[in-house]
Amino acid sequence: MENKSHPEAPEANEFSSDLTHRSLINAQATNRGSNDSKTTSSTEASQSKHSRTDSKSSAKQVSEINKAPKQSAAKQAPMDSLPDFVIRRNELFNDLKKRRDAELLEKEHSEINVVLDLGLDKDGKPRPAMPVAAKVWESTPGSFLKHVDKNFSADVVIAKVNGKELWDLDRPLEYGCRVSYLPFTSAEGRNVFWHSSAHVLGEAAECQFNCLLSHGPPVEQGFFYDMAISGGQVVKETDWAPLENKASKFFKEKQPFERLHVSIPDLKEMFGYSKYKMYYIENLLPPEGSTVYKCGTLVDLCLGPHIQNTSKIKAFQIMKNSSCYFRGDKDDDSLQRIYGVAFPDKKQMVEHKKFLEEAAKRDHRKIGIEQDLFFFNELSPGSCFLLPNGAIIFNALQKFLRAEYFKRGYQEVQSPNMYDVELWKRSGHWQHYQDDMFSLDVEKRKWALKPMNCPGHCIMFRHRERSYRELPLRMADFGILHRNEASGALNGLTRVRRFQQDDTHIFCTQAQITQEIEGLFDFLKCTYGLFGFPFKLQLSTRPEKFLGEIETWNVAEDRLKEALDSFKARGGGDWELNEGDGAFYGPKIDITISDALRRDWQCATIQLDFQLPQNFELEYMTADSSVKPKVEAQEKANLEASEASKPDEAAAQGTPKLLAPGRARPVMIHRAIVGSFERFMAILTEHFAGKWPFWLSPRQVLVVPVMPAVNDYVGEVQQLLRVQKMHADVDISGNTLQKKIRTGQLQQYNFIFVVGAQEKETRSVNIRNRDDQNTQSKGDLIPLDEAIQKLKDLKKERRIVNAI
């Protein structure tokens, strides 16, 4: 299953990531040394040969940069005037912009129908739609804001047309449409705001260092810009203040973001000085060219969109800097990366810093070391070593899911880890995913480790005759998966190369889709509710490029909407429609959870797939199929079993064999709830801040004696707890009682049993509850048998609250 629960590298709303998708996501990788404690990498692309003279001189310049001795960029005097390449670039932009503006004036500005969708009011009720007078090539989304409340318009960052395309507020409309507006608090609005802030950072860096800019996308907690600085200088913390001062000046200047579509020849003339920009132009752009944006003195190759002007940015701060490699390739140019964050309100910056402090305390990498959960080793990068404490959590999660599988009619299977690449060619993964797979040659055959389970499950479905009576068939697999993630993108447990996930594929009829989806919603509610995660649902529908018949898509989308509406009616919460963003093989539902810090994580996904069943020619006997002699049916089943894994030429060419009468093709539902176990453990670690619920905790009980004379009773209590399969430890060291208790508290034991002569005599325990401060000075005295029973109930019921 190709599932977003195994996270991708930050995918920015920026020129490079929009055009290169997976290829550049993987390039966000191999790092070199960092001025910050972390190393990072550039997602940009590699050096290419250029025909232009100034591009060649740029390549020579960068080569000299990397050979030069490193020194602080602060030692280089800030530029008093703009370099020649900036002046020439900007003059060309201005000339082309004047020409384009003149062309727009010549166009017919006829009236168009525009309706404003103003979303919900402060009480959560829909505002009425507002028709407005508008003209094509003249009216802009920003011009309509004069018709709405000032408090509403003040929060607007970007517009959205017909619920699909983000649109600059000052960009003229090109057709009649429905216009909505997004604030900074929306994910898309925040990305646009930070993307625009990155351009301001780029402008400041270009003025400060006379550097060659690479790219500057938004990321999860702000934005960054990569650059090559002349003379081989490296950025130091002393460079931050001058850059922030320049940015502050640009904000006051209220610099507009100007958009312009430019042809390939003009782009080459505009950016010929930079081999980085030339790479994008020559390798990534469509023949008709692309857009550039001007902000102050910066003109940058960019898909946009952007905020109206720089005055929207009220708070701006550089957070860190590091070195990285162009294209994430250690053999390519060394660049400097500067990270920043910005907000439309200064109070938000203060809140963000508090958030970062709390997030640092909860960092799963830090807690993982403190609690002996896991570690990594360079002998196997991206593959975690789960220590006993980590394995306890991992196994508890799997035990919970297995119990749910049994109740919900799932069948657990195991499938091979390695397949002949012919399997992946037939599934389509080899053509689109081979760079992300680990492959090897054995006995003159090419093999690959599986990055997902779905093709193997298709083989398992097809290995014998199937009947409609077997459907739905829910096939669950905890098998180990491998994905060839770029080394620089590896990040603790949240991005790894070797992982396991709660992967399931449901084979069902079209008529069973709704009931299966409803069952999955119940599974989601059960699982996420157990951990206290609220979640949101989003339906993504048929994209422009898709496989299959439109009628099939329409039926599938209707079934998903039925299930979503039914879930909503039962109090499951509202859902959003994301038109045109489904997978090419079927519509999908993305599920996002929110943790204790209100960060969103996508773990679960539900995807309908019509293509894989066709590629593997999966079929089942319908109720209308004629009854065949038992011997004939068995012979056919044996033949199909022997042929199941062989590539079929017709299927490989996308033309599966026609179904015989009485036969039908199953629908395949890909689904994961927790997704990657490794990543989900990281989320849980940070969600609970290392204070595990009792049923998950590797440190459930610590038994501490008041005096050595009761050590025998301490051992007895530990043994009784272990008989009940509880993780109980003892501390009979020579430390003081106070230090033993304090150590246990720091190690986040759920309960500390303190026992002395009185407890031994009465067969009781004095209990200190980790989460109840009233029990810390002197706990509650409870009979031992009663305490054990209460702990058994707490574990069995999988309660989050640590109380007995």
Side-chain angles (χ1 to χ4, degrees):
M1 175 176 184
E2 189 170 350
N3 177 11
K4 285 187 180 179
S5 66
H6 189 64
E8 306 297 342
E11 189 168 333
N13 180 23
E14 207 273 340
F15 179 83
S16 63
S17 59
D18 278 344
L19 288 175
T20 59
H21 298 293
R22 184 76 188 180
S23 62
L24 281 188
I25 288 173
N26 281 338
Q28 193 165 349
T30 312
N31 304 323
R32 85 189 287 275
S34 167
N35 295 329
D36 185 64
S37 59
K38 301 175 183 177
T39 57
T40 53
S41 62
S42 173
T43 57
E44 293 304 341
S46 66
Q47 177 177 358
S48 58
K49 297 179 181 179
H50 309 303
S51 58
R52 300 184 55 84
T53 304
D54 46 3
S55 178
K56 290 180 180 179
S57 66
S58 172
K60 181 179 179 181
Q61 176 186 352
V62 175
S63 176
E64 292 172 351
I65 284 175
N66 293 317
K67 291 178 182 178
K70 302 293 183 183
Q71 56 179 306
S72 170
K75 295 181 180 180
Q76 174 179 303
M79 299 298 298
D80 295 323
S81 60
L82 293 174
D84 290 342
F85 70 82
V86 170
I87 295 173
R88 291 195 304 270
R89 177 193 68 196
N90 293 4
E91 286 177 347
L92 178 57
F93 175 91
N94 292 335
D95 290 342
L96 295 174
K97 186 69 166 59
K98 287 179 182 178
R99 191 186 310 166
R100 177 57 178 165
D101 290 344
E103 291 174 356
L104 288 180
L105 289 175
E106 295 297 323
K107 287 180 176 287
E108 182 181 353
H109 294 193
S110 56
E111 292 185 357
I112 53 176
N113 294 322
V114 174
V115 177
L116 303 187
D117 182 353
L118 302 178
L120 305 177
D121 61 21
K122 61 181 180 180
D123 298 321
K125 298 180 180 179
R127 293 187 177 93
M130 181 187 296
V132 292
K135 291 184 177 182
V136 68
W137 302 114
E138 180 178 332
S139 301
T140 66
S143 67
F144 305 138
L145 290 175
K146 62 187 177 184
H147 301 300
V148 303
D149 182 81
K150 290 184 178 180
N151 291 329
F152 176 89
S153 62
D155 292 335
V156 171
V157 169
I158 198 70
K160 200 171 193 179
V161 171
N162 290 335
K164 296 181 180 180
E165 184 178 2
L166 294 178
W167 202 276
D168 302 270
L169 291 173
D170 288 338
R171 177 184 171 186
L173 294 174
E174 300 173 10
Y175 44 81
C177 58
R178 193 175 188 91
V179 176
S180 56
Y181 298 95
L182 300 175
F184 176 83
T185 51
S186 69
E188 289 177 304
R190 187 165 54 251
N191 272 344
V192 168
F193 190 92
W194 281 342
H195 186 191
S196 300
S197 302
H199 276 238
V200 177
L201 173 59
E203 180 186 5
E206 202 171 63
C207 292
Q208 178 78 8
F209 304 131
N210 188 10
C211 58
L212 296 179
L213 297 176
S214 171
H215 80 306
V219 289
E220 186 176 352
Q221 297 297 333
F223 51 88
F224 67 78
Y225 225 115
D226 288 350
M227 63 201 70
I229 305 176
S230 61
Q233 288 90 0
V234 296
V235 175
K236 296 289 187 181
E237 192 169 345
T238 52
D239 298 314
W240 297 3
L243 289 170
E244 290 172 346
N245 291 337
K246 279 183 169 57
S248 179
K249 175 176 175 289
F250 300 152
F251 304 150
K252 294 175 183 178
E253 292 174 355
K254 201 175 181 179
Q255 298 174 350
F257 282 86
E258 301 177 84
R259 179 182 185 273
L260 180 65
H261 191 277
V262 181
S263 68
I264 294 294
D266 286 333
L267 286 173
K268 289 183 176 181
E269 183 178 354
M270 187 177 288
F271 295 104
Y273 64 88
S274 170
K275 72 169 185 176
Y276 309 114
K277 305 300 181 184
M278 287 296 290
Y279 174 85
Y280 313 139
I281 295 168
E282 295 182 342
N283 295 276
L284 306 178
L285 293 185
E288 62 270 19
S290 187
T291 53
V292 298
Y293 278 80
K294 184 176 186 293
C295 166
T297 61
L298 177 68
V299 175
D300 206 1
L301 194 60
C302 178
L303 295 178
H306 286 284
I307 60 177
Q308 272 184 305
N309 60 67
T310 56
S311 69
K312 283 278 187 181
I313 305 172
K314 303 298 182 184
F316 179 98
Q317 185 169 332
I318 293 173
M319 305 303 292
K320 62 181 179 180
N321 65 272
S322 65
S323 57
C324 62
Y325 289 113
F326 181 57
R327 210 170 56 106
D329 186 346
K330 63 183 178 60
D331 296 323
D332 218 315
D333 299 336
S334 174
L335 302 178
Q336 294 297 295
R337 173 173 293 181
I338 303 175
Y339 287 90
V341 70
F343 295 94
D345 189 314
K346 293 181 179 179
K347 293 180 181 178
Q348 291 171 309
M349 180 67 82
V350 175
E351 293 171 357
H352 180 71
K353 290 180 179 179
K354 291 180 180 178
F355 162 81
L356 291 179
E357 290 176 4
E358 182 61 28
K361 295 176 185 176
R362 293 171 177 256
D363 192 322
H364 74 278
R365 294 165 296 186
K366 169 178 172 288
I367 293 174
I369 294 173
E370 294 172 348
Q371 297 189 0
D372 290 327
L373 302 180
F374 65 90
F375 70 92
F376 289 88
N377 189 285
E378 279 304 309
L379 292 176
S380 184
S383 301
C384 79
F385 290 76
L386 269 187
L387 296 168
N389 286 346
I392 287 171
I393 298 169
F394 184 94
N395 291 333
L397 288 172
Q398 279 202 350
K399 183 179 180 180
F400 160 71
L401 288 169
R402 282 194 168 101
E404 289 298 318
Y405 284 169
F406 185 80
K407 288 192 299 185
R408 298 171 186 273
Y410 285 74
Q411 301 178 49
E412 187 174 343
V413 300
Q414 294 183 6
S415 53
N417 271 13
M418 186 172 71
Y419 294 92
D420 189 302
V421 297
E422 292 301 323
L423 175 84
W424 305 108
K425 290 177 181 178
R426 183 167 189 175
S427 70
H429 290 97
W430 191 251
Q431 295 86 323
H432 303 287
Y433 206 78
Q434 62 175 298
D435 290 341
D436 303 293
M437 299 170 68
F438 288 101
S439 59
L440 59 158
D441 296 309
V442 180
E443 295 182 346
K444 299 181 180 180
R445 294 172 66 184
K446 196 167 189 65
W447 306 77
L449 296 179
K450 64 178 179 181
M452 64 276 297
N453 288 307
C454 31
H457 288 182
C458 288
I459 296 295
M460 297 181 83
F461 182 93
R462 193 185 172 190
H463 91 284
R464 66 170 176 81
E465 186 77 81
R466 297 287 180 180
S467 166
Y468 72 96
R469 294 185 180 90
E470 297 180 71
L471 305 183
L473 177 59
R474 307 179 185 101
M475 202 176 289
D477 197 331
F478 291 126
I480 295 171
L481 306 175
H482 288 85
R483 295 183 185 174
N484 188 14
E485 305 290 353
S487 60
L490 301 175
N491 183 21
L493 293 178
T494 61
R495 191 172 176 85
V496 292
R497 287 175 172 166
R498 183 263 190 206
F499 62 100
Q500 291 174 256
Q501 62 183 23
D502 63 325
D503 206 359
T504 292
H505 296 96
I506 302 173
F507 300 91
C508 64
T509 68
Q510 287 201 26
Q512 293 169 334
I513 291 175
T514 300
Q515 72 180 44
E516 288 304 302
I517 300 300
E518 289 178 346
L520 291 176
F521 289 161
D522 183 72
F523 203 161
L524 288 170
K525 193 172 182 179
C526 169
T527 303
Y528 293 154
L530 185 65
F531 301 106
F533 289 131
F535 63 92
K536 298 177 287 188
L537 303 169
Q538 185 179 70
L539 171 62
S540 298
T541 57
R542 186 181 68 249
E544 290 185 10
K545 296 181 180 180
F546 62 93
L547 296 174
E549 301 295 329
I550 289 181
E551 292 77 11
T552 306
W553 276 83
N554 290 340
V555 169
E557 291 174 4
D558 288 342
R559 296 282 164 80
L560 292 182
K561 289 175 182 177
E562 287 175 16
L564 286 163
D565 288 336
S566 175
F567 184 64
K568 177 182 177 181
R570 299 195 307 271
D574 207 350
W575 57 276
E576 297 178 359
L577 181 63
N578 186 18
E579 293 186 12
D581 199 38
F584 68 90
Y585 50 77
K588 63 176 181 174
I589 298 173
D590 290 326
I591 301 96
T592 304
I593 63 174
S594 182
D595 69 7
L597 294 182
R598 292 179 293 180
R599 296 174 298 186
D600 288 339
W601 303 87
Q602 185 184 328
C603 293
T605 185
I606 301 170
Q607 303 171 354
L608 293 189
D609 189 349
F610 309 107
Q611 191 60 31
L612 271 188
Q614 288 193 41
N615 289 356
F616 286 92
E617 296 186 341
L618 305 185
E619 59 183 65
Y620 62 90
M621 293 186 296
T622 67
D624 299 327
S625 61
S626 58
V627 179
K628 297 184 178 182
K630 184 175 182 181
V631 174
E632 181 184 344
Q634 186 60 49
E635 288 178 353
K636 183 178 186 299
N638 293 338
L639 178 62
E640 288 192 349
S642 65
E643 295 292 325
S645 61
K646 295 181 181 179
D648 184 275
E649 185 176 349
Q653 294 174 355
T655 55
K657 297 175 183 176
L658 295 177
L659 290 169
R663 299 278 172 166
R665 193 86 70 201
V667 177
M668 190 174 183
I669 303 176
H670 306 250
R671 84 101 183 101
I673 304 293
V674 305
S676 158
F677 280 98
E678 287 78 1
R679 184 168 182 258
F680 197 68
M681 282 180 60
I683 295 170
L684 289 177
T685 303
E686 299 186 6
H687 178 63
F688 292 120
K691 295 183 177 182
W692 298 99
F694 186 78
W695 70 276
L696 274 178
S697 179
R699 291 171 172 166
Q700 294 174 329
V701 180
L702 176 65
V703 188
V704 177
V706 174
M707 62 194 77
V710 296
N711 282 358
D712 57 339
Y713 183 55
V714 168
E716 181 185 355
V717 171
Q718 180 191 32
Q719 185 59 32
L720 289 172
L721 290 169
R722 287 190 171 183
V723 166
Q724 300 300 328
K725 298 182 179 179
M726 297 181 199
H727 306 295
D729 300 317
V730 300
D731 187 347
I732 55 175
S733 67
N735 292 328
T736 64
L737 176 63
Q738 184 177 6
K739 185 171 183 180
K740 291 176 182 177
I741 294 174
R742 180 57 181 160
T743 300
Q745 291 171 336
L746 292 175
Q747 292 176 333
Q748 302 299 340
Y749 279 90
N750 296 73
F751 299 98
I752 299 177
F753 286 9
V754 180
V755 297
Q758 181 184 3
E759 286 79 13
K760 179 179 179 180
E761 182 180 348
T762 59
R763 294 194 62 77
S764 59
V765 287
N766 191 292
I767 301 178
R768 284 167 167 76
N769 183 336
R770 179 194 65 195
D771 299 340
D772 185 354
Q773 292 301 315
N774 295 326
T775 66
Q776 298 307 312
S777 57
K778 181 176 174 62
D780 300 322
L781 194 65
I782 299 178
L784 178 58
D785 291 342
E786 180 183 341
I788 292 176
Q789 184 59 49
K790 287 184 175 182
L791 290 179
K792 286 172 61 178
D793 294 341
L794 180 61
K795 181 180 180 181
K796 181 180 179 181
E797 295 168 13
R798 296 190 174 97
R799 299 199 300 264
I800 294 181
V801 178
N802 196 60
I804 57 174

